[in-house]
Amino acid sequence: MGSSLFWFDNWTGLGPLYFLTPADFYCNEEINNVSDVVTKGRGHEPTIRNNLPEDLANYRLIDVQPPYRGDELDKPWWMLETKGDFTASLHGSISEAKEKKGMFTRRYGVWHFKVPLGDVLRSWGYHMPSMCSCCASPKEETVHHIFLRCETAQRTWSYFSAAGGINIAGMHLHQLIVKWWTTDVLPRMKPIFYAIPSIIVWELWKKRNGDKHKDKVSISRVIFQASRNIQQLVKVRKPGIRSVPHR
């Protein structure tokens, strides 16, 4: 249905268009989703040409044909496989590298041809759902739990959502992220609101891994690190502001 973000998702295969445009290029922030430049299943050529540099507009963007169904969200496409489905294709890639240099097996210990792939995956915990290490009571470590429902996630999202005027009560993770992307704010704030969910999810993932490997991080530290990343993003986008507050 074209729900991917026009500027920030890699819907063309070239990478996020926001980062492919020149630094001084004005990105029309009224265009949010791919559907905004699609008419009857085709890219609307005048709109694309009016809102992208000529070289990008000419690079087959007009011919990119997103499946256009009004009732189905866009889905991730695994670009290493022609079917588009994620697979554990690491075995083939590293085995091929081993034949060339052997560095993966001898230096880093990533793979050895005598160790079955299933044993490696089981050693990484893929054979069973693990338990969340930051909750007082055992909870299954699902994506939804790690990034939204556990205490750390709840307090972190609540901290930033309160400042952003977003009510997270009863939301699923996908709904919450979309809410950050679609909240009606001043145009200069939109890139910040687009980035905040990624920043929060990244810090939550770092905490989860730290807890698993005996390097525990406090909830306050997660919020601090996310705030610092947001602060740095504002400094990059608005270099004229001399003092950007951390909170």
Side-chain angles (χ1 to χ4, degrees), residues 1-13 15-19 28-37 52 73-75 174 177-183 190-198:
M1 62 183 291
S3 59
S4 299
L5 294 176
F6 180 81
W7 295 109
F8 297 101
D9 282 333
N10 183 20
W11 60 277
T12 65
L17 296 177
Y18 181 85
F19 299 106
N28 185 356
E29 293 175 343
E30 292 184 358
I31 298 177
N32 292 314
N33 306 103
V34 176
S35 58
D36 293 334
V37 299
L52 284 175
L73 290 172
D74 294 355
K75 298 177 181 178
H174 178 266
I177 292 173
V178 171
K179 184 66 176 178
W180 273 95
W181 290 347
T182 58
T183 294
K190 285 186 177 181
I192 310 300
F193 273 61
Y194 288 153
I196 284 177
S198 297

Side-chain angles (χ1 to χ4, degrees), residues 122 125-130:
R122 281 190 289 274
Y126 284 104
H127 63 294
M128 65 178 64
S130 55

